[in-house]
Each structure stands twice: as C-alpha cells, then as structure tokens.
Amino acid sequence: MKIPSNILTLIAGIALTLICLWYGQNHGLMPIAASAEARTVDELFNFMMTIATGLFLLIEGVLIISIFKFRRRKGDLTDGPPIEGNIPLEIVWTAIPAVIVFILAIYSFEVYNKMGGLDPMASHDMGTQMAHHHHNDNLVALDLEGQEMALGLGASPGNKDEESLVVDVNGLQYAWLFTYPDTGVVSGELHVPVNRQVTLNISAADVIHAFWVPQLRLKQDAVPGREAQLTFVPDRVGEYPIICAELCGAYHGAMKTTLFIETEAEYNQWVQNNTFAQESFLDEAVANYHVP
Amino acid sequence: MQSSTVEDPKLALNYHKELKNEGTHGEHPDHRMLGVIVFLVAESMIFLGLFGAFLIYRSMMPVWPPEGTPELELLIPGINSIILISSSFVMHKGQSAIQKNDVPGLQLWFAITAAMGAIFLLGQLYEYSHAEFGLTLNVFTSCFYVLTGFHGLHVTLGLLLILAVLWRSRQPEHYSENSHFGVEAAELYWHFVDVVWVILFVLVYLL
Amino acid sequence: MSTATETKENPVSQNGHGSSHKQRKWQDYFTFSTDHKVIGIQYLVTSFFFYFIGGFLAEIVRTELATPDPDLVQPEMYNQMFTMHGTIMLFLWIIPAGAAFANYLIPLMIGAEDMAFPRLNAVAFWMIPVGGVLLISSFFVGAPQAGWTSYPPLSLMSGKWGEEIWIMSLLILGTSSILGALNFGITILTMRIPEMDLNSMPLFCWSMLATSALVLIGTPVLAAALILLSFDLIAGTSFFNPVGGGDPIIYQHMFWFYSHPAVYIMVMPFFGVISEVIPVHARKPIFGYRAIAYSSLAIAFLGLIVWAHHMFTSGTPGWLRMFFMATTMLIAVPTGIKIFSWCATIWGGKIELNSAMLFGIGFISSFLIGGLSGVMVAAVPFDIHVHDTYFIVAHFHYVLFGGSVFALFAGLYHWFGKMTGRMLNETWGRIHFALTFIGFNMTFLPMHQLGLLGMNRRIALYDPQFQSLNQVCTIGSYILAVSTLPLVINVLWSLIKGKKAGRNPWRALTLEWQTTSPPAIENFESEPVLWAGPYEYGIDSENEDEEDVEDMLTEVSAQS
Ligand code: HEM
Ligand SMILES: [Cu+2]
Ligand SMILES: [Cu+2]
C-alpha cells in the first residue's frame, strides 16, 4: 500500500481531528436541553458525533481518494498489487473499534446511571415495592391482580433522598391526562415547578403510548397493564412539547400536549386555580375512562 | 464426472430419486436427511418460542395457573404420553426391519405406530371435549390449548407421513435396505414430535 | 486442465448437443421450474415488481408529509400506507431479492448444477407471489395499520381482517424464507466441487451461510409470535392483551428476536454481493478474506442476542438494557472489519468506475452512515431520546436502502450480463446511480435532524416548524422515484439491444464466469476447474506487465 508523504498525512490527520472536535461540539442538531441530565445526554451525543465525524471523514476520504487516484487507465488490463491482507493492520482496525465501543459503553453506562436508570425503585422488573403507590391509583384501571411492573428511569443517585413532586400520567387515545395525587388536580397539561424533582408514574389506558419530552431527552413507553416511572429535575423555565412517540392509532400525530416548567410561584398559582375545578373534571375523566 | 452430452433425459427426471453413484451428470449424494434435520431445527425454534412465552407468563403471574383454573386431569394425558413415547420405540423396530430388507416387518411396525398415534390424537380430542375450561378463560388455558393443539397438528402430520410410507411400501422394491429415505424421515419426525411432547407435558401438566 | 479453451466463447457448441440438451424457453419463467437460474430470475423480477409498489406507497407517504396537515390522505389511510410500505419493502423486496441472488449464484459459484433440493426451491419461490398478492389484497378489507411491527394491543384494535391477512401473508413469506435458507445452507455445505473447501468459497457463499442460519433460527420465532397474535385477534385469547391478563411486551420480545436478526438477513446477502463486486472492479484481491468471512458468522451470532435494543423505552429493566447495549455495540466491531476491509481492497487497486462499482462504492459510503448512527442508537441514554423518531427512520433507511438496495443494484449491474447474456448500458447506469445517490441522501439525510429536533415517526400530521426539512425529503423522494426510470429503460433496452456479454466480461475469477452467459441448463458443460482462488487478482501481473501490449489489444478485440 502506498501511503502519501508523511507530512501530508500528518497535516491531514490534524485537520481531521480538528474538524471532528469542532463539529462534535457545534453540530447544532439537538433542541434546547431543559435539565442537567439532558445536558449529560448531549455530552454523550457530542462525544459520539466527534468519533462518528472522524470515522466518516476518514472512510469517505479513502473512498474519494481511491476514486481519483486508483483509477484504471484506459487499455491497462493488468491487475492491482496482489495484497491479500495485512495482519497487523487488521488487528489494529479490530482493536480500535473494540476500544472505542468499550469506552462508549462505559460512558453510556455512566450517563444512564446518572439519569437514574439503575435506581432499583424504577428499573426493577417486578415491582412489589410499587404497591405503596397503589392506594390512590384510581386511574389505573387495568390492574393485573396486584402485579405491577415498575420500569423507567428513577432519581439520579445524587438526588435520591429528595422529595419528589409525584404526577400520575395516563395515556389514552389520543390525549395525556395528568393527575396530581397531592392536590387532586387533574389536567391535560403538565405543570411542574423548576428545580424540583418530579416523578411521573406513567400508565396507559388502551394501547401503548410513549411519553416523550425532547427537551428533557426523556422517553418512556406507557404500556397498558404496567406502570413505569420517570424522574427528572427540570431546570429551565419554559414551554416544551409532550409528544406521544409510540404509534397508537390514526391520530397518533395529534397526541400532543405541553409541559410547563414554571417558577415556584407560577406553579402554585396554577395549582390554586385548578383545585376548585377538580371535582367535576375528575368525574368526567373517570367516565371517559370506562368507555372501552 | 462425464459431460452432459450423454445425459439421458430420463435420468434428469429422476434427478432426486435414490439412484446412487452412477457417476452421471445431475447426481449428487443424497442430502435429504440433512434437509429434514435442518427443517426440524427450524421447527423446534417455533416450539422454543411458544415454550419461552409460556415460561415467561408462568414467571410473571403471581399465581400459576391463575386463580379459577380448574385442575388439569392427568390420567388420560399420562396414558397418552406413555403411548406416544412407546410408539417411538415401536417405530424404530420398523426401521430396523427395513434395514434387513424386511418390508412386511416395516409395514407391521409402522401400522402399529400409526394406530398408537391415532389413539393419542383421539385421547387428545377426548381431553378437549371433557375439559372444564375454554380457550379464552385465562392465559394458562389459552396456552394449554395452543400448545397442545399445535403439537397435535404435528402429530397429525407425522401420522400422515407414516401412512404415506405405508402406502408407498405396497409398491414392491420401493423401500429397500439401502434406500429408505421416507422411512427414516418419518421416523425422525416422529421422534421429534415425541420429544416435544415430553417437554410440553412437563411444562404444562407437571410444573 | 487447460482453461484457455474453456474461457473462449463458443455459442455453437451449445446447440451442438442437439436433442440431449434442453433449451431454455421463455415460458419456463412462468412455470414451476426447478432450475435455480430460472427461480433466481423469478425471485428477482417478482421482488422488483413489489419494489415498485412499495416505492409508490413511499411516494404517497412523502407527498402527504410535504405539508404538516393530513391533507392528501386521511390519517387512517396514512397508517395503512406506511405499514404496507414497510412490510412490502422488507418481506417482498429486500428478502426475496437477496434470495434471488442466492438462488442464481450459489450453485454457479460452487460449481454445482443446481440447488440441493430444486423442487423445494421452486415451492419456496411460489409462496412469494401468493403471500404478496394476499398482502396487497388486504387493501380491499382495509389494510393493516399498526406498522410493520404490529404491536398489540393496537394491532388487535385496528382493522381485524387487514391485520389477519397481514399475519397470514407473513407466515407464508416466512415459511418461504425458511425453505429457501434450508436449501442455501445445505447446498453451500455439501455441493461444492471437491477442490473447493470452505475457505476457498466466494465470500457471497459465506454471507449466505450466515444469513441462512439466522433465518432458520429467527423466523420460526416470529411464526410463533404471529400464531399467538392471530389467536388474540380471531379467537379472543389474551396472550398479548392486558385486558385479559396478557402482556404486550412478550410480543415485542418474540417479534424482535426475529426482527433484529432480520435486519442482518436483509443486509448480509448484500455484504456478500459487495465482497464479490469490489475486488473484480478494483482488480485486487479482497483484503482479509478470512476476516470478512468469519465476521459474517460473528455478526450472525451477535445478531441473535441484541434484540431488546428495540425495546429500550418499552419495558426492559435497567440491567437488561445495559446487557443489550453492550452486545449491540459489540456488533460494530465485525461490521467495522468489513467496511475497513472493503476500503483496503479498493485502495491501491486499478478501479474501473463502472455502474457496478459506483453502486458498490455508494454502498460503502451510505452504509457507513447507517452503521455510525447504529452505534449511536445502541447507547441507551441517547436511544431513549431518538427511539421512534425520524432519526430511526433515517438510520434504517441508510442501512436498508443505502446498504442493501445500493448493493443490490451493484449486483444487478455486475451479474446482469451473466444472467441475460447482454450487458447493461453504462451511460444509463451512471445516470441511474447519480439520481439514486442524490435522491437517497436528500431524502434521508435531513431525517436525522428532524428526529433529533423532535419529530416522531409514523405521524400523518406534524409540527409546522419541521416543514422545510420535510419538503427537502419529499423532493429527494421524487428524485428517487425518477431514478427508477433510467433503470427500467436500461434493462428493457439492454435485454434486446445490449452488448453481448460473453463468458467473462469482467475477467473475474469466480466459477460463475467460467460458463456461458446465460449459463446452460445445468450450468457447466463439464465440471469447472478451480484454477485460482476466487480473488487471486494480480498474482501473475508481473509477467503480464511485460507482455506485449499489442498482444493484449488483439486479445481484447477478439473477445468483444
Ligand atoms: C423509495 C424510497 C423510499 C422512501 C421515500 C421511503 C420513505 C419512508 C418514510 C417517510 C417512512 C416513515 C413513515 C412514517 O414513519 O410515517 C418509511 C418507513 C419505512 N420504510 Fe421506507 N422509504 C423508501 C424505501 C424503503 C426501502 C428500500 C425499505 C427497505 C428495504 C424501506 C423500509 C421501510 C420500513 C421498514 C419502514 C417502517 C414502516 C413502519 O414504520 O412500520 N423503505 N419509509
Ligand atoms: Cu401515540
Ligand atoms: Cu435491531
């Protein structure tokens, strides 16, 4: 294999490194991040983007150079050099990706752990420990003989002991229903105070839905017959879309609502405004609920 | 190998009959048994899928079978199991017979096997008609019917294979000591169905 | 043995056999023929037929998505469109197209006269049109609309008969694929000419071996899932219906146990195609034969233990997510080996940049993007964000279109001469490539960004902020639609007027080039001789360099 002069290779290498380092940070592909955990996900993505850009440029570069440099000249019927392999080189390109994915796996594991993915409360398979939550769960219609599964993302290890604002989230064709067990508020929108830990108990009434807030980088399927949990600490005031990400029928695309991350005061105001209307709304909701 | 110019069109038609090693174009060693084995590997994956699902349900439910499932009757299925398992041995006698070129022996043992298979199926039907639960009562009963039913389908198919062997064996010289693929295939299939039944019986009835 | 006489075209000798050698009739292509070459072409033509249907549905989908509102088709209809698009493209286009190449090439490449079980082979083929027509007929009762994944409970609640037809059709197509795989595997293992051991097989055979193993292990599990789903749908059981105590997640596990391997079933045959096409047109041995061969096996094995990466958000406990993340990332290693080896094969070669090679290089460059985004979505925290978004749609089209379809076209340009006796036209081929490459990237590259920004998939109506990018995609998809015209024109024109191919237009070394084009009914006039490994290019180039150029030129003109 003929390698271009060393200096050129070196310059190309440095340029490639600089480009991918720059692009990895400045791709601008992600929406705003509204929690610290979302930003760790972004860092992970940036890291992956950096490596991917490098590999992309390297391989496309090889292909493009080959197309121009190693073209068969007209009338030349001879073959190229009979190189059938190169063991050291093959070891290198087996080992480097192996190391990269190893690092990536460790890094992802770390991020996942930070997001609370390994919190036993939330990520365990068979959650008898979720039973305590059952008493005010009058909206979970499909209770399977007491068996519940808690799945999803729990509290970050750092915030474990913090008191969460608990909201029950129920997905049904084609709307989200949010119940605040503490205050009894029932709403079609999700309001949460900024910088306070929120725990969502996610369930579904009819088919599978998925609760997704792109700006939190969080998604969790709402599976009928199971309950899943998402815990997060929003830290950026604003309005963000809540999107159903799992095909749930014809109007799946319309199954959207809004997440309001508000200051403590705004949030309290909202709770007050809504408590009085709660009785009638709940009746309505439950009535809705028992329609098959 | 010879050139195709001498090829006899008749040979080409007989492409896959057991004409061994005549050195003609178009012949190759007989891989049909290998084909049956590979096919059975695929078949066993279906059962593995179904059994896997069954085991997951079993491990997920707090009570298994779910409350309100009537007890399974064990007597008839037990007898049935014994019949099916012993039929495998009976059938093997048939194969041993043909290896000694004993066609009547083959016919005898295969006929007995077929009868035993038929009894198994009748027993299964009897069990269905006397079961105190329906298909849709709960996940256990659904599994019960689907697993035994799917297996029963395979027994039926195996039975048809045996009958086909019997039918063909009336033709003199159809099976001989060194050419009896049909016999071997039917037998292997039957053993397979048997093994599946043993697993099924343990999972569904005993556990 | 002398090869010089063998490689000379001798059209008269075929007829010379007179009555002893049957001639191929055009009617054979419409009958239950057991000739692997007829079956291969039947597969290929059938799959192209369904490709056009699937592509037409895709154009409806894209046209609908040109605007944020569901104005072209009703949302319900939209769901039917993409469900049928996905199902057709996977089960009636890519999988049968892979089988087409396998059928046509395996016996030729290993010097056999036919497959191990020709009749079974024909049965397997004829199940495809049956399953396909059945699937299409579901439009009369309301096509399935739960996506190609058909997750319950939704699939149990939307259009019973459409769904049942979908299940039946998949069972038929799955059985066909199992029978095909059984045949491929056994043929490769047992019917090679005696001199060819496993490690001197063409790499296409290796990749088909791995593919067949996956089909045989995976597809039956899909069948099991579909049988249970069918009971839920028709008989009122509740295996997957939580209302009766069932569990929809079990369906997902069973479905993906097949359907993850299925993506390798769809792409691995084409890895094999690329490993054949590239060395020939780069005039260089494949770089790292064994690494490529064994990495197929590694991919097949790992492919069986990664399925739950499709379920990171649905109901897998944390530790399981980590396990599946690790195995999924590991697959990147053997896949990377292949990509690097192909690049190293090209590097330093004497590249003939014809249509086959253009599609081959196009394959590497697009599949690379699919592979890189694949490693990204293996990372659980990131996948949680992009799962079920357009990022995923982009990812799998880069794998399935940029990967499989590009390689399929490369194979088509490469072997068309062998299959029909006439070469495809290069100019039209290049136009076809340029349009496909531009259209493809324009359609699918922006989808990455759409997904990251928050556009979920399978929606007929979307947030207006995404409209401009969507319009780029839609225009790209029209270019893709147009790109099929040069192909169709080229194929029709070349069939009648194309340049005669001769035995070995590419001066390639694998056995299929030792026989006539198209090959005689039982492939070889006499048993072919393995006088070189499949990729031993350049071995005698030193001598050839000194050869008189005059001599070579006369040789060339004599050949054409
Ligand atoms: C002709 C060019 C193609 C275009 C313009 C196209 C476009 C699309 C679009 C826009 C979707 C997303 C629909 C949605 O989520 O709402 C989609 C889905 C899909 N496409 Fe394609 N596609 C093309 C070719 C292919 C090919 C060649 C394959 C496979 C070999 C394929 C396989 C799929 C699959 C499996 C889905 C998922 C369907 C589902 O969500 O159930 N597509 N396609
Ligand atoms: Cu939805
Ligand atoms: Cu997968």
Side-chain angles (χ1 to χ4, degrees), chain C residues 347-427:
Chain C
W347 187 268
K350 297 197 172 175
I351 299 172
E352 166 82 65
L353 208 55
N354 50 27
S355 313
M357 193 61 166
L358 279 171
F359 273 107
I361 293 179
F363 160 90
I364 302 179
S365 72
S366 333
F367 179 72
L368 171 69
I369 299 179
L372 292 173
S373 58
V375 177
M376 291 183 179
V377 294
V380 176
F382 176 67
D383 182 66
I384 288 177
H385 176 53
V386 295
H387 173 70
D388 260 327
T389 68
Y390 263 85
F391 189 88
I392 299 296
V393 177
H395 158 68
F396 68 69
H397 281 94
Y398 265 90
V399 174
L400 287 171
F401 199 125
S404 307
V405 179
F406 270 67
L408 192 160
F409 287 143
L412 187 70
Y413 284 95
H414 187 72
W415 281 295
F416 190 86
K418 180 53 62 183
M419 293 176 174
T420 64
R422 286 178 190 272
M423 305 297 280
L424 281 170
N425 177 285
E426 273 303 316
T427 313

Side-chain angles (χ1 to χ4, degrees), chain A residues 70 72 78 80 219 226 244, chain C residues 247 283 350 352 385 387:
Chain A
F70 302 117
R72 185 170 77 91
T78 58
K219 182 181 289 126
R226 291 185 181 219
C244 172
Chain C
D247 185 355
R283 311 302 312 161
K350 297 197 172 175
E352 166 82 65
H385 176 53
H387 173 70

